Amino acid sequence: MKTALTDTTASKINKSLVQARRAIGTPAVGMVLTLVIVTDEENAYDALRSAGDASREHPSRTLVVIKRVSRPHRGRTQSRLDAEVLVGADAGAGETVVLRLYGEVADHAQSVVLPLLLPDAPVVVWWPVDAPLDPAGDPLGALGQRRVTDTYACEQPVRELAARADSYTPGDTDLSWTRITPWRSMLAAALDQVTCEVQGVEVEGEESNPSCELLAMWLADRLDVPVKRSLSAGPGLTAVRLTTDCGPIVLDRADGSLATLSIQGQPGRAVALKRRATSELIAEELRRLDPDDTYASALRYGVERLRSPAHRPSADPTVPPAPSGQRPEAVSRALDDASGDSGKRSAGEPPAKGAGAEEAGAEGAGSPAPGEAAAEGPRAAAAAQAPVKGAAAT
């Protein structure tokens, strides 16, 4: 059932909802939450369709807020509220109200939405496009316990992730994070099957895909190992390679639907890892209304920290590090050069002109006489035993 209201108010919209429920024979309200969608006219249809599919799992009242901007200056000063009420089969398993705000009322959308919220029910606010930099600070975002954004719809997704980290508030989430839930589950299950230590990670995917960056930050934050970010033609996230001390673990998805999990010493397994629709992502986010601490930890890890040279893996991660107490050859050579050992000549190399006399003079000046050497022996032994006695006394 569809009802169109022009130049209306929130009170008239509530009355229309009650009349529509009675007309279709369902006067009771069986909805579990209120979903507020803030979008534009261009993306309203796709967002409303995704919300309708998700309402079959989570019956809800969906409020679609569309801020219309009038081109003539006279139209901008005239405030008007138009509404479209959908109940029954047209609204999925809940109710839908499409609100179009004109003029100055568009700057006070929270005043229009507040009387239409379900009483004693959680509120989720979703921005399919053009999300504010601080969702919790937005007047509409302040009404919700959960605030859903999508950095994949931004022009510069990676830079948007850094802005989300700076303004994060418990309750914020991102559909780019929701897209990698199957990847995180599969990688965690793969590591549960082996007993080994992860030494490095490589995440492969599209260049401007924020899901790849979030997965890399999650792995770096949880495993505390170097993570390499490599590029591919897509679609989306294509592969994750874990370098361990008991062999590589590879999760590869080249076609965007079927992945292959390879573990050293085990046969390869095909895994269903398709790219999910927006309705499935929204349905997953509506299953939990508490803050996502794992997302917060991965987001705050930071894209810049992920790209820093200190977190890049070495050229050959299979080369074992130098044992403790031993220096690598290049480091030893550099330290020897700094200490002056580079001036030592190799065996058989002829001395430079005048060097023999200088070295002889230096040796003559620094070498003790035979009598002095005999007397120096007992004193050196006593000096070597003195610290031992002092340590035993203390």
Side-chain angles (χ1 to χ4, degrees), residues 291-315:
D292 193 343
D293 297 333
T294 307
Y295 165 71
S297 179
L299 184 66
R300 288 171 174 169
Y301 186 86
V303 180
E304 297 300 330
R305 182 180 174 187
L306 182 67
R307 295 181 175 183
S308 63
H311 266 41
R312 293 176 185 172
S314 59

Side-chain angles (χ1 to χ4, degrees), residues 274-328:
K274 69 171 185 176
R275 306 188 72 188
R276 298 182 293 170
T278 306
S279 59
E280 299 180 35
L281 304 177
I282 288 295
E284 179 183 332
E285 285 299 331
L286 296 181
R287 292 185 194 124
R288 57 176 301 170
L289 300 176
D290 57 325
D292 193 343
D293 297 333
T294 307
Y295 165 71
S297 179
L299 184 66
R300 288 171 174 169
Y301 186 86
V303 180
E304 297 300 330
R305 182 180 174 187
L306 182 67
R307 295 181 175 183
S308 63
H311 266 41
R312 293 176 185 172
S314 59
D316 188 2
T318 61
V319 177
S324 58
Q326 297 183 11
R327 297 177 298 182

Side-chain angles (χ1 to χ4, degrees), residues 153-168:
C154 302
E155 295 183 359
Q156 297 179 337
V158 178
R159 182 177 298 180
E160 196 76 12
L161 283 178
R164 292 280 181 269
D166 296 336
S167 63
Y168 175 80

Side-chain angles (χ1 to χ4, degrees), residues 137-204:
D138 186 81
L140 284 174
L143 300 176
Q145 284 81 18
R146 292 276 285 177
R147 294 161 294 274
V148 184
T149 59
D150 191 0
T151 53
Y152 188 75
C154 302
E155 295 183 359
Q156 297 179 337
V158 178
R159 182 177 298 180
E160 196 76 12
L161 283 178
R164 292 280 181 269
D166 296 336
S167 63
Y168 175 80
T169 303
D172 294 353
T173 189
D174 198 312
L175 292 185
S176 297
W177 171 258
T178 315
R179 291 184 179 96
I180 62 175
T181 300
W183 286 82
R184 295 188 292 118
S185 302
M186 193 58 59
L187 291 172
L191 288 177
D192 286 341
Q193 300 178 27
V194 295
T195 304
C196 58
E197 180 181 354
V198 181
Q199 300 172 343
V201 180
E202 180 182 1
V203 178
E204 181 183 277

